[in-house]
Amino acid sequence: MIRSTLTYIALGSNQGDRARYLQLSIDRIFERIGAVISLSDVYETPAWGFKGDAFLNACIAVRTNYNAEKVLEKLLGIEVELGRKRSNATGYADRAIDLDIIFHGNLTISSRELHVPHPQLAHRKFVLYPMADIASDIIHPIDKVTISEMLEQTADDSAIRKVDVRLNRPELPELPVNYLVIEGNIGAGKTTFSKMIAEDQKAKLFLERFHDNPFLPKFYEDKKRYAFPLELSFLADRHQQLVEDIGQFDLFRKFAVADYDFYKSLIFAQVTLQKDEYQLFKRLFEVMYRELPKPDLYVYFYQTTDRLLENIQKRGRDYEQSIDADYLRTIHQGYMQFIRQQNYLNTKVIDLSKLNFVENREDYISLVYQLLNAIP
């Protein structure tokens, strides 16, 4: 399961166009690490621990799916790209950009490569001031004091002043839809992506409630016996959720996103039910389908069968481990037939076979822009 973590990062520069280096760093952090939730004002301070030019300093809060070690790896890469040159000499030196993890959630980490929270935080006014702008009430997990209290207690008496530099917070473009559906085969990643896009865009999220279905484990053990009650239970539950919830938009949400479409019921029923059962099921489906809202954009995530099987194995649901390649291929064919035949939905098929939007934020951002381009 993907869980995002709020990470606080300090930025500093004392070479060249200092403000530009700060902004370039923020832009790259957004592209490669996570959404920038907030950013501080910019402060100028004298070089700390060595003789050098004055620094511009700031802090940002970033929501990321990466662990602290991965965040550090990406930050070091950004520093190198922006011209930072590290030497083997001990002590501090001038640098175009300096990026440090201050907090990573509530974690405490102590290794040769990484210490979190940053061990010098209490003694660095040039970090405490910008941190107080965006996280004054956050509690240090070791010292058990807030940033505001730490700032009051610090022994650092170095000069610091706020400067008239405004950094921009990069954001993904808003999707101009009321109702977005992300569909796909079993294990395609539709639920994970739906959660991510809903969090980023502050959308209302609707997830299929399959976990509580008592027929699902039984179906994978004996498909012929349990197919009809399973599909009927899904039909009823999906209809109830869509009727009760999709039409009732939260005024504070931009749009609704769901990880399934009601037509999914008919696609799976066509594969799993006997002919006479399917005819009855279809009659019930058509009555229910008429009254339901239709998505402004219907997206189908395509994954290769091998990758679907790999994803299913990774997520480790016992009742899914018996799913075979032929079943997945048949389900995919059902989706493709639906997409080809319908002419009232705006559909977009996206091939994920060479993308990994969970491990690579660049792939995730690319997907968001593909959705944006699919909207008239």
Side-chain angles (χ1 to χ4, degrees):
M1 180 181 294
I2 301 299
R3 289 189 175 90
S4 61
T5 302
L6 197 59
T7 298
Y8 291 90
I9 299 171
L11 306 90
S13 173
N14 81 326
Q15 288 186 319
D17 189 340
R18 300 171 297 170
R20 178 172 175 270
Y21 280 123
L22 295 184
Q23 187 63 59
L24 289 173
S25 298
I26 292 169
D27 293 342
R28 282 165 169 75
I29 288 169
F30 165 78
E31 293 166 358
R32 302 175 192 180
I33 297 177
V36 178
I37 304 305
S38 57
L39 47 80
S40 72
D41 289 325
V42 179
Y43 296 83
E44 187 174 60
T45 61
W48 193 92
F50 72 103
K51 290 184 178 180
D53 295 331
F55 276 80
L56 289 186
N57 295 283
C59 286
I60 60 175
V62 178
R63 188 179 63 241
T64 181
N65 295 329
Y66 298 121
N67 60 32
E69 290 76 12
K70 192 68 175 179
V71 172
L72 176 62
E73 176 187 323
K74 290 178 177 291
L75 290 178
L76 293 176
I78 293 170
E79 287 183 344
V80 171
E81 283 185 21
L82 295 182
R84 178 165 183 178
K85 295 178 174 61
R86 294 179 180 272
S87 68
N88 294 326
T90 58
Y92 300 101
D94 293 312
R95 43 210 181 269
I97 193 65
D98 187 21
L99 304 172
D100 290 313
I101 301 173
I102 305 302
F103 293 109
H104 187 76
N106 292 319
L107 291 183
T108 57
I109 302 171
S110 182
S111 66
R112 189 175 69 175
E113 296 81 15
L114 180 63
H115 294 274
V116 177
H118 196 287
Q120 298 300 317
L121 174 60
H123 311 293
R124 294 183 174 179
K125 192 186 293 185
F126 64 84
V127 179
L128 289 171
Y129 263 80
M131 277 294 295
D133 286 343
I134 59 175
S136 61
D137 295 330
I138 192 172
I139 298 175
H140 194 288
I142 299 175
D143 297 342
K144 306 302 180 184
V145 295
T146 65
I147 293 296
S148 293
E149 292 168 336
M150 195 172 284
L151 182 57
E152 292 174 357
Q153 299 166 10
T154 186
D156 181 7
D157 61 357
S158 58
I160 185 169
R161 70 182 185 92
K162 187 184 297 186
V163 296
D164 189 20
V165 172
R166 288 289 171 261
L167 300 174
N168 297 317
R169 184 170 70 89
E171 294 182 277
L172 286 170
E174 295 183 9
L175 296 178
V177 294
N178 291 320
Y179 178 22
L180 169 68
V181 162
I182 307 296
E183 262 286 15
N185 212 326
I186 303 166
K190 54 189 177 292
T191 300
T192 299
F193 183 82
S194 296
K195 290 178 179 179
M196 292 171 69
I197 194 72
E199 185 175 43
D200 267 349
Q201 302 256 339
K202 297 180 175 59
K204 192 174 183 179
L205 178 64
F206 295 97
L207 301 179
E208 187 171 17
R209 300 182 293 218
F210 61 87
H211 293 289
D212 299 328
N213 193 311
F215 296 106
L216 191 56
K218 297 176 182 178
F219 167 76
Y220 287 117
E221 293 176 1
D222 189 344
K223 293 181 180 178
K224 186 174 181 179
R225 179 179 179 184
Y226 289 104
F228 193 61
L230 173 70
E231 299 302 346
L232 280 180
S233 62
F234 271 137
L235 185 73
D237 193 51
R238 290 165 183 156
H239 183 268
Q240 180 182 14
Q241 184 179 23
L242 293 174
V243 167
E244 293 179 355
D245 296 337
I246 288 293
Q248 301 174 15
F249 288 110
D250 187 334
L251 293 177
F252 297 99
R253 302 289 177 173
K254 296 176 182 176
F255 62 90
V257 56
D259 69 342
Y260 72 96
D261 180 69
F262 191 68
Y263 209 94
K264 177 179 186 174
S265 294
L266 199 61
I267 293 171
F268 275 77
Q270 192 170 10
V271 175
T272 61
L273 298 184
Q274 302 296 315
K275 186 175 180 179
D276 55 344
E277 293 175 335
Y278 175 72
Q279 293 304 321
L280 174 59
F281 183 91
K282 186 178 179 182
R283 288 169 58 192
L284 293 171
F285 170 85
E286 289 174 346
V287 171
M288 294 178 171
Y289 190 55
R290 292 191 199 105
E291 65 183 69
L292 293 177
K294 307 302 185 291
D296 302 302
L297 179 62
Y298 178 106
V299 178
Y300 179 77
F301 279 175
Y302 168 74
Q303 296 267 27
T304 64
T305 304
D306 288 342
R307 195 162 176 187
L308 292 173
L309 290 169
E310 181 183 335
N311 291 344
I312 290 168
Q313 185 178 25
K314 279 183 180 178
R315 67 188 185 188
R317 297 171 187 160
D318 291 340
Y319 57 82
E320 289 183 342
Q321 300 311 305
S322 62
I323 295 176
D324 59 31
D326 287 340
Y327 180 69
L328 293 174
R329 280 191 284 265
T330 305
I331 294 298
H332 170 67
Q333 291 167 3
Y335 274 110
M336 290 297 97
Q337 182 180 8
F338 162 68
I339 291 171
R340 285 193 298 268
Q341 291 180 349
Q342 63 80 32
N343 55 12
Y344 55 90
L345 292 180
N346 180 26
T347 62
K348 174 70 174 178
V349 177
I350 298 179
D351 186 349
L352 297 183
S353 58
K354 295 182 180 179
L355 300 177
N356 188 332
F357 64 83
V358 175
E359 297 184 9
N360 298 312
R361 178 164 168 81
E362 295 95 328
D363 287 348
Y364 168 74
I365 292 176
S366 171
L367 286 176
V368 174
Y369 278 98
Q370 287 192 57
L371 300 190
L372 185 67
N373 293 333
I375 300 169

